[in-house]
């Protein structure tokens, strides 16, 4: 008769269940996990090099840089992760965390990851907002190799998803009183990682949900809002396996050229990771391509160049 089949429950049933579970032993166990994982709120702050003085109160003015990860690199990276039981999501999260730690010179970073939250049976076809934010504390030890990094991130992701029923705002309320609040940054994490997989939005997608439902993507112009300092998004966009990537950034803290350089370094790091043995130390993997290396090592170190004699040293350094 053309009518949709009745659902076993509605969104308000899920909301009622979520509220009623807050005091159950299972929820207390999950809270204990997050208190330990997030060190009672004493989390590493991402000290990614800034281009501008950070405003005393966090702003949300943003921009974004888009780039593509070629299918060849993506497939080889997927194969590398599969060797250690990692999904593509876990492998890409490993690369992003490593790149941030390399830039910040720190061995830990907390990454916010939105999770779909539709684990319970019957939620897959129910309209409603189930997404929950998971704060994953990633360890990139000084002596870590590719294998230990991937396995470590896999364990962190699996544990976080296993304890994903606690609403993120509840954790913030519980942890914030125990940490020094810095109004210039996000309270728990300063970077996010967003993974979208399975549906191309370049063109209308027929029958992806059954019953003749057609999905089509809406193209969005350059983003002008930054939810946190840096947000890395990935989406499989074509049948050949290439991946569309974007880095959303706070433009009151970072220049676009720095983010474009970061995007280039991500691709270089992926290339270096798949080209080297899994035992190679991750802190020695290449993050600069040949052009950037030549600029830094040669052009910026041209000590035989003739400098203007009529200017003082600090003037030349300023230029």
């Amino acid at each position: 008769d053309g009518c949709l089949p009745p659902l076993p429950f509605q969104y308000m049933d899920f909301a009622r269940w979520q509220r009623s579970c807050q005091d159950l032993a299972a929820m207390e166990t999950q809270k204990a996990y997050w208190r330990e994982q997030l060190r009672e709120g004493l989390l590493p702050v991402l000290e990614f090099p800034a281009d501008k003085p950070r405003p005393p109160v966090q702003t949300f003015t943003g921009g974004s840089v888009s780039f593509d990860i070629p299918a060849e690199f993506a497939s080889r990276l997927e194969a590398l992760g599969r060797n250690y039981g990692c999904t593509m999501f876990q492998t890409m999260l490993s690369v992003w965390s490593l790149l941030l730690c390399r830039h910040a010179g720190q061995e830990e970073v907390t990454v916010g990851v939105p999770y779909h939250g539709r684990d319970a049976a019957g939620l897959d076809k129910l309209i409603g907002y189930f997404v929950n934010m998971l704060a994953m504390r990633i360890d990139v030890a000084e002596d870590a190799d590719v294998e230990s990094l991937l396995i470590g991130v896999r364990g962190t992701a699996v544990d976080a998803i296993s304890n994903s029923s606690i609403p993120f705002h509840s954790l913030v309320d519980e942890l914030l009183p125990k940490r020094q609040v810095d109004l210039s940054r996000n309270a728990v994490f300063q970077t996010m990682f967003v993974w979208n997989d399975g549906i191309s939005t370049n063109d209308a997608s027929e029958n992806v949900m059954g019953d003749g439902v057609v999905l089509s993507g809406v193209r969005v112009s350059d983003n002008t809002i930054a939810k946190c300092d840096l947000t890395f998004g990935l989406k499989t966009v074509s049948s050949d396996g290439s991946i569309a990537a974007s880095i959303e950034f706070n433009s009151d803290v970072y220049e676009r050229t720095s983010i474009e350089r970061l995007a280039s370094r991500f691709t270089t790091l992926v290339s270096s990771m798949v080209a080297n043995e899994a035992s190679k130390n991750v802190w020695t993997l290449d993050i600069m391509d040949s052009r950037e290396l030549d600029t830094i090592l040669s052009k910026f170190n041209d000590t035989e160049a003739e400098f203007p004699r009529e200017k003082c040293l600090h003037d030349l350094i300023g230029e």
Side-chain angles (χ1 to χ4, degrees):
D1 56 4
C3 296
L4 294 174
L7 295 171
F9 47 82
Q10 298 295 328
Y11 184 77
M12 65 178 184
D13 299 316
F14 168 80
R16 187 182 297 115
W17 168 84
Q18 191 178 55
R19 291 187 179 186
S20 66
C21 286
Q22 292 308 300
D23 296 326
L24 296 181
M27 290 299 180
E28 289 302 319
T29 301
Q30 291 196 24
K31 284 185 180 180
Y33 163 80
W34 286 111
R35 281 195 296 267
E36 179 181 358
Q37 176 74 5
L38 302 181
R39 296 290 193 271
E40 299 288 352
L42 300 176
L43 293 166
V45 175
L46 178 62
E47 298 291 353
F48 191 90
D51 297 311
K52 308 173 186 178
R54 182 177 292 274
V57 176
Q58 183 181 3
T59 63
F60 301 94
T61 307
S64 63
V65 170
S66 300
F67 62 102
D68 292 327
I69 299 174
E72 178 187 359
F73 288 161
S75 62
R76 293 175 65 187
L77 190 64
E78 184 177 18
L80 174 65
R82 194 183 304 119
N83 290 337
Y84 303 103
C86 294
T87 64
M88 193 59 161
F89 156 74
Q90 295 162 356
T91 305
M92 285 295 191
L93 176 59
S94 302
V95 181
W96 176 242
S97 301
L98 170 60
L99 186 64
L100 293 178
C101 286
R102 290 278 298 269
H103 278 78
Q106 59 192 68
E107 297 182 33
E108 280 188 329
V109 61
T110 304
V111 183
V113 179
Y115 182 62
H116 59 73
R118 295 178 179 266
D119 294 325
L123 295 183
D124 55 334
K125 294 185 178 181
L126 182 63
I127 295 175
Y129 187 79
F130 300 93
V131 176
N132 191 28
M133 189 65 67
L134 306 179
M136 300 188 187
R137 189 171 56 83
I138 308 297
D139 179 23
V140 185
E142 191 177 65
D143 59 348
D145 54 25
V146 175
E147 178 181 358
S148 63
L149 173 65
L150 291 173
I151 292 176
V153 171
R154 183 191 68 190
T156 298
V158 169
D159 290 344
I161 292 173
S162 299
N163 293 274
S164 61
S165 297
I166 299 291
F168 179 68
H169 67 83
S170 298
L171 289 176
V172 174
D173 292 341
E174 189 161 329
L175 293 173
L176 269 179
K178 301 178 182 179
R179 61 174 286 150
Q180 182 178 359
V181 180
D182 181 358
L183 296 180
S184 69
R185 309 172 189 265
N186 289 73
V188 178
F189 51 80
Q190 294 79 51
T191 181
M192 288 201 302
F193 178 86
V194 182
W195 173 257
N196 294 294
D197 191 20
I199 298 177
S200 170
T201 55
N202 282 349
D203 303 298
S205 301
E206 297 284 352
N207 237 13
V208 294
M209 298 179 66
D211 299 321
V213 176
V214 177
L215 299 183
S216 60
V218 177
R219 293 195 175 275
V220 181
S221 59
D222 190 27
N223 193 15
T224 57
I225 297 176
K227 292 174 282 294
C228 57
D229 282 5
L230 296 166
T231 298
F232 187 47
L234 292 166
K235 179 187 288 290
T236 304
V237 295
S238 62
S239 58
D240 68 354
S242 63
I243 296 177
S246 66
I247 302 178
E248 176 188 286
F249 63 96
N250 188 319
S251 56
D252 289 334
V253 179
Y254 307 110
E255 297 283 0
R256 174 175 293 274
T257 52
S258 295
I259 306 305
E260 290 172 344
R261 187 162 54 246
L262 182 66
S264 174
R265 289 179 176 180
F266 183 89
T267 304
T268 301
L269 181 57
V270 168
S271 175
S272 180
M273 184 174 288
V274 300
N276 289 279
E277 296 295 329
S279 59
K280 188 174 180 64
N281 187 293
V282 295
W283 290 85
T284 63
L285 294 173
D286 294 332
I287 61 173
M288 301 182 193
D289 59 22
S290 57
R291 174 184 292 185
E292 187 177 3
L293 277 174
D294 180 66
T295 299
I296 292 176
L297 299 179
S298 299
K299 294 182 179 178
F300 288 171
N301 273 308
D302 187 3
T303 57
E304 297 180 357
E306 287 293 329
F307 294 101
R309 300 289 182 179
E310 67 278 5
K311 293 185 178 181
C312 296
L313 180 61
H314 68 278
D315 295 321
L316 296 175
I317 293 175
E319 292 180 4

